Amino acid sequence: MKRVITYGTYDLLHYGHINLLRRAKALGDYLVVVLSTDEFNWNEKQKKCYFPYEVRKAMLEAIRYVDLVVPETCWEQKRTDIHKYDIDIFVMGDDWKGKFDFLKEEGAEVVYLPRTPEISTTQIKADLKK
Ligand code: C2G
């Protein structure tokens, strides 16, 4: 039973996110998504979420690839999350390439998957403004 974990905001959910989640799940049997809380997004990423945490969580839980959604409240929780959720593989889009290699020290395989290039929440918001 290979357990996979990934992190993100997942606000204005789009097919780039789905592509990531599908490929992450394909690496194992169980996928944990650690979802940034509204406070974490605002305080640490200066992102103001369109949908609040509970809505973003419910949307992710409706995706067939996702087995568990838990809160991301700080940058530092990744090391403990690897053990807390008994993780074998840590996955992120390659915009984070190299940033989380230290998790190999916790015994996890670290995989960066190519982002879906042409879509982003920023792009969606810009297009809607036109
Ligand atoms: N993603 C992707 N293709 C896109 C957009 C996003 O593959 N076109 C991936 C990102 O690389 C990330 C995941 O989808 O792995 C979630 O993206 P965001 O919600 O933007 O996550 P981010 O703000 O990068 O938060 O501690 C880590 C952070 O919580 C990551």
Side-chain angles (χ1 to χ4, degrees), residues 39-102:
E39 299 75 18
F40 179 69
N41 270 307
W42 183 244
N43 297 332
E44 298 298 327
K45 300 189 213 172
Q46 290 70 48
K47 281 185 178 180
K48 179 145 180 34
C49 288
Y50 183 78
F51 291 121
Y53 176 82
E54 286 308 321
V55 169
R56 291 183 285 119
K57 179 174 187 283
M59 288 170 78
L60 281 172
E61 287 170 340
I63 297 169
R64 68 176 62 199
Y65 309 119
V66 176
D67 296 289
L68 176 68
V69 181
V70 296
E72 178 181 31
T73 57
C74 65
W75 294 108
E76 298 74 21
Q77 72 183 79
K78 292 182 177 66
R79 278 190 188 275
T80 47
D81 286 350
I82 294 294
H83 305 288
K84 185 173 176 182
Y85 299 104
D86 191 20
I87 297 301
D88 301 289
I89 307 173
F90 170 93
V91 178
M92 286 302 290
D94 61 4
D95 45 319
W96 292 93
K97 194 167 180 60
K99 298 285 191 307
F100 302 118
D101 291 352
F102 63 85

Side-chain angles (χ1 to χ4, degrees), residues 6-11 14-21 23 34-36 40-41 45 47 72 74-75 78 90-96 100 113-121:
T6 192
Y7 293 68
T9 302
Y10 289 97
D11 192 36
H14 55 66
Y15 67 87
H17 296 135
I18 305 298
N19 283 345
L20 189 287
L21 295 170
R23 287 175 292 159
V34 189
L35 183 61
S36 311
F40 179 69
N41 270 307
K45 300 189 213 172
K47 281 185 178 180
E72 178 181 31
C74 65
W75 294 108
K78 292 182 177 66
F90 170 93
V91 178
M92 286 302 290
D94 61 4
D95 45 319
W96 292 93
F100 302 118
L113 297 171
R115 277 174 71 93
T116 303
E118 74 282 357
I119 181 89
S120 70
T121 303

